[in-house]
Amino acid sequence: MAAAVLVSLLALASRARAEPAGTFALVSDVHFNPFDPPSLGAELASADVADWPARLATAASGARSPHGADTNAALLASALDAIGSAAAGTDFAIVTGDFLAHAFEKKAGDALRGDAAAVSDMAIGTPLYVAGAVGAALPGKPAFASFGNTDSDCGDYDIVPAGAYLAATKESVRRLAGPDRVAADFDATWDAGGYYAARHPTVPDTLIVSLNDVLWSVDYRDACGPGGEAAAAAMLDWLRALLARQKAAGGHVWMIHHIPWGIDPYSTDRARGATCAARVVPFMREPFASGFLDALRDNAGVVTASFSGHVHFDDYRLLADASGAPVGADKIVPAISPIFGQNPGFQIFDYDAATGVPTDFTTWYLANLEDSAPADWRPEYRFGETYRLGPYSPASVAALSATIAVPGPVRDTFRRLYNVGHGALSPVGLPAWLCAIREPDPAAFTRCYCGG
């Protein structure tokens, strides 16, 4: 039965290509480091965020961040120019979190001589600047943002529900999305945990739902304030209720979030444990991991798109129903930051403007990151042309997953594209990555990865 459903979904996706098309830009994991060099951060800390563009102008003309480092002013300026050019004709943008550099608090503390108030101000000012710069690169277009694990004034994975950081960033998020588009409960949900819903700018009866799934992460800690567990539960309850309302009304949802669902293959491949099963590392903790997947499966016809980041590479996650039929796909966006060794990249997506179903995408990347020559941003590949599995859809992601499960040229292509033009995903430990695409449930992943 699953095979028949797969064929039907591919046929439906093929027919969707004849419908009117829209486009949008997808950006993730900017990880801007305003402390490169440290003196720059000290200068910015003494200025209003509105004055940062002028203060950053000189740094923006310098050398770009190398592989192994987060995004400096030169790389950020280059990326924004490329996004502005490639996405000039798009309808809107989505940014799936991690505006701040890794170890931001330490970098800020070192540069600002341990001034705790100045460090907190920089943690707030930096995402405000980056969000504003994205908006300026795409003038007149809405941008929908989610927060990532570094986006906090407390520390990594330490966002404080109902805290000052969420209060300080709220108006920027509202302004980017459009005050007339955000849901009536925007203030309440953003203040509670940094999540919200907004009206899709072009597709009727469709909401863009931005989750702060850092609250559900296995690494989340209530380091700077209480209420994290309650906020995580409240967000899941809110999501379930919203999906139920959309389902009853015949509407749809696009999901944007930072952390992919399912299993973390990188951590799993490097874990140490007495058994293979003990080494499996999920991205999210229970009951939220299974609760999130159950909500998506229960509303498979409602959720027509999902986008995340976090891993920095060009990847996918698949969701199937009890029969094995593909009912959802999460596109993991490559990062702007090259800290983990891939080239900086972003994606331009096509979607059916009538149904709101994504149909294809092109990955853009910076081909000469460490050269002194002008930045060479170029298209790397187009999903439909490269894999020839039909339009982008849960069905084509399922077909891709099945194809790369065996050695061959398609697997080699996936490994190369995963790294965004800088090397290839290593064959060592590859089974963890392949199982993570198609098996989001820990038990099913364990059977895939460990055998049995």
Side-chain angles (χ1 to χ4, degrees), residues 55-312:
R55 303 291 182 103
L56 287 166
T58 300
S61 64
R64 298 180 291 270
S65 307
H67 294 103
D70 269 329
T71 303
N72 65 6
L75 176 55
L76 179 59
S78 172
L80 291 170
D81 284 346
I83 293 165
S85 177
T90 59
D91 302 322
F92 57 94
I94 289 172
V95 186
T96 58
D98 270 2
F99 293 88
L100 300 186
H102 294 87
F104 187 91
E105 290 73 23
K106 183 181 187 311
K107 292 181 174 71
D110 291 345
L112 303 176
R113 301 176 182 269
D115 185 334
V119 170
S120 179
D121 287 345
M122 283 295 288
I124 293 170
T126 300
L128 295 181
Y129 168 72
V130 175
V134 171
L138 299 170
K141 303 177 189 301
F144 303 92
S146 62
F147 266 6
N149 52 282
T150 66
D151 298 325
S152 165
D153 62 346
C154 172
D156 203 11
Y157 295 95
D158 283 331
I159 188 71
V160 179
Y165 190 83
L166 290 173
T169 54
K170 177 170 61 179
E171 292 309 315
S172 179
V173 174
R174 188 202 312 270
R175 185 171 57 253
L176 283 175
D180 60 329
R181 292 189 185 89
V182 297
D185 63 354
F186 174 84
D187 288 292
T189 60
W190 184 264
D191 287 343
Y195 56 96
Y196 65 96
R199 178 171 49 84
H200 195 291
T202 63
V203 183
D205 303 318
T206 296
L207 297 178
I208 292 179
V209 173
S210 173
L211 299 175
N212 188 358
D213 56 7
V214 176
L215 292 169
W216 296 338
S217 168
V218 294
D219 294 314
Y220 180 74
R221 301 291 182 270
D222 294 22
C224 298
E229 201 70 15
M235 182 170 67
L236 183 57
D237 289 343
W238 172 84
L239 175 63
R240 286 171 172 151
L242 181 147
L243 292 175
R245 290 195 302 271
Q246 284 295 92
K247 187 174 186 176
H252 297 94
V253 163
W254 283 23
M255 195 85 64
I256 66 174
H257 53 121
H258 182 65
I259 302 175
W261 64 58
I263 307 302
D264 179 351
Y266 178 89
S267 297
T268 295
D269 182 54
R270 286 157 178 77
R272 296 293 177 263
T275 65
C276 178
R279 295 192 290 272
V280 175
V281 181
F283 276 120
M284 300 180 191
R285 69 189 187 280
E286 294 296 348
F288 309 113
S290 57
F292 183 34
L293 292 179
D294 287 345
L296 295 178
R297 288 191 176 104
D298 291 345
N299 297 277
V302 178
V303 180
T304 53
S306 181
F307 307 99
S308 64
H310 189 57
V311 304
H312 286 224

Side-chain angles (χ1 to χ4, degrees), residues 2 64 122 183 190 227 231 244 280 301 318 326 331 343 345 366 413 445:
R64 298 180 291 270
M122 283 295 288
W190 184 264
V280 175
L318 184 66
K331 185 66 195 75
N343 281 326
L366 179 55
T413 296
F445 176 90

Side-chain angles (χ1 to χ4, degrees), residues 33-43 59 72 111:
N33 178 13
F35 307 105
D36 181 12
S39 58
L40 174 62
E43 180 181 352
N72 65 6

Side-chain angles (χ1 to χ4, degrees), residues 356-368:
V357 174
T359 57
D360 209 347
F361 67 85
T362 299
T363 295
W364 286 72
Y365 77 113
L366 179 55
N368 64 337

